Amino acid sequence: MKIMKNKVIITCAVTGSVHTPSMSPYLPVTPDQIAEQAIAAAEAGASILHLHARNPADGRPTADPAVFMQFLPRIKQATDAVINISTGGSSLMTLDDRLAASLQAQPEMCSLNMGSMNFGIFPLAKPGMEWQHEWEPQLLEATRGTIFKNTFADIEGILKRLGEGCGTRFEFECYDVGHLYSLKHFYDRGLVKGPLFIQFVLGILGGIGADPDNLSHMKRIADKLFGDDYRFSVLAAGRQQMQLITMGAAMGGNVRVGLEDSLYLGRGELAKSNADQVSRIRTILEALSLEVATPDEARTMLALKGGDRVSF
Ligand code: KMH
Ligand code: ZN
């Protein structure tokens, strides 16, 4: 399938499972906060909302479908945005837990992580930090000794159960060049079909570093492997977020923002909401004469099933 150069899709990853409540008072954790910030992000121009859930009592990442169901219907009613549920959850969850909410909700999109890897977030625990909850430093430290498990069998199971079974399409999370080759393996077997939506994930400790050469290299290899049958998006963890996603857009790609990936708006300035980051990248894109895709344009670009064909 030939993909025409097109508008820029802004994905907003609203809360994730990397940051913890003590790192920013603006990180949404309760279902109300997640819904409010997701809706505001969509109003600011995000056409895809990438969602994780947190325990409302203490902000700890959770995969509990009942918690997802406290915000998914509300977001769906208030916006037309594409809802994308994480199947990565957190590297400390079992795969069955990570899949439970998506299998129930059957969303238009889910993330799909393209390899097992170290996923070290322990450096986020800085000496002298004051923690609101004991679980925060414990969770960060636990990532020193755990593997984010996404074997070929795991990936194949997700493709069958969610892809074939529910008509869900994927944000393929590629944290290094090797993940592109793993994706190509599934593409060659016909288990994934274009237009692929590949997220180049830069700056996770355990994956490729957040720098322009690496972004260019990821794109060069993806071009070689998938030709015109893919679209890419860029996310950069931490302070390189805005620079690298801007570079990605200038290279013809799409962008991902959100407090999952960075808590900041600029140097030393916490983002007060997800919508702040969406508005910032929207301003940059429009200043570069790039047009932002609406949710329906994103649906067409990514061949999604439609917001009325989900189970929530
Ligand atoms: N936290 C990001 C680096 C997922 O949710 O499946 C990658 C991510 C994974 O969003
Ligand atoms: Zn995520």
Side-chain angles (χ1 to χ4, degrees):
M1 176 179 178
K2 181 127 179 93
I3 292 175
M4 306 300 291
K5 177 145 177 37
N6 224 316
K7 300 190 176 178
V8 180
I9 298 169
I10 302 177
T11 296
C12 182
V14 175
T15 186
S17 59
V18 166
H19 296 120
T20 71
S22 299
M23 296 175 189
S24 169
Y26 308 113
L27 182 71
V29 295
T30 66
D32 273 356
Q33 290 166 348
I34 291 171
E36 279 159 21
Q37 287 217 28
I39 292 163
E43 285 166 354
S47 49
I48 301 179
L49 299 167
H50 168 107
L51 298 168
H52 293 237
R54 289 178 182 265
N55 180 331
D58 63 5
R60 188 194 305 246
T62 178
D64 184 351
V67 180
F68 275 94
M69 286 305 165
Q70 289 175 47
F71 56 79
L72 292 178
R74 191 167 151 201
I75 298 169
K76 183 184 159 193
Q77 271 160 26
T79 79
D80 186 32
V82 173
I83 289 176
N84 166 346
I85 298 179
S86 169
T87 65
S90 130
S91 58
L92 302 167
M93 296 170 182
T94 67
L95 184 64
D96 280 346
D97 285 348
R98 285 161 45 186
L99 292 181
S102 299
L103 288 169
Q104 184 174 328
Q106 309 198 352
E108 289 183 88
M109 290 198 89
C110 281
S111 63
L112 180 40
N113 293 271
M114 289 312 299
S116 300
M117 59 187 289
N118 290 329
F119 196 120
I121 55 174
F122 53 89
L124 292 173
K126 302 274 189 282
M129 265 175 92
E130 286 180 18
W131 302 105
Q132 292 164 34
H133 309 283
E134 258 180 51
W135 69 262
E136 297 175 83
Q138 288 168 0
L139 178 142
L140 298 171
E141 186 55 30
T143 67
R144 196 188 292 273
T146 43
I147 290 171
F148 185 30
K149 180 178 150 323
N150 300 287
T151 64
F152 286 103
D154 294 340
I155 294 168
E156 214 168 305
I158 295 174
L159 291 172
K160 289 221 164 76
R161 294 171 75 190
L162 274 170
E164 265 178 60
C166 306
T168 298
R169 286 179 57 79
F170 297 99
E171 173 194 6
F172 294 104
E173 312 273 7
C174 293
Y175 299 74
D176 215 324
V177 180
H179 291 177
L180 297 172
Y181 285 87
S182 297
L183 180 56
K184 174 76 158 110
H185 163 83
F186 289 107
Y187 182 78
D188 286 344
R189 288 172 58 196
L191 295 180
V192 302
K193 300 224 160 43
L196 306 177
F197 187 52
I198 304 180
Q199 192 69 255
F200 297 155
V201 181
L202 306 172
I204 296 297
L205 183 59
I208 204 165
D211 75 54
D213 281 348
N214 286 340
L215 173 50
S216 300
H217 189 54
M218 292 286 278
K219 178 167 185 303
R220 192 175 312 122
I221 299 300
D223 283 347
K224 184 169 83 173
L225 297 176
F226 305 109
D228 283 339
D229 206 13
Y230 87 104
R231 293 178 186 279
F232 72 96
S233 176
V234 179
L235 86 79
R239 64 199 149 87
Q240 277 89 4
Q241 183 190 51
M242 285 291 163
Q243 287 105 319
L244 286 176
I245 68 174
T246 301
M247 176 178 162
M251 291 164 73
N254 303 283
V255 297
R256 175 168 134 171
V257 290
L259 301 196
E260 171 165 349
D261 302 334
S262 167
L263 294 172
Y264 289 87
L265 193 57
R267 192 189 296 267
E269 182 192 1
L270 286 174
K272 294 202 170 51
S273 68
N274 279 274
D276 273 4
Q277 289 186 352
V278 175
S279 299
R280 175 63 55 88
I281 191 61
R282 186 180 188 136
T283 303
I284 293 170
L285 295 172
E286 288 174 352
L288 296 172
S289 302
L290 294 168
E291 276 184 81
V292 172
T294 64
D296 277 341
E297 287 166 343
R299 287 185 173 94
T300 304
M301 290 162 72
L302 304 179
L304 304 182
K305 64 181 176 176
D308 53 344
R309 298 185 55 210
V310 299
S311 303
F312 55 91

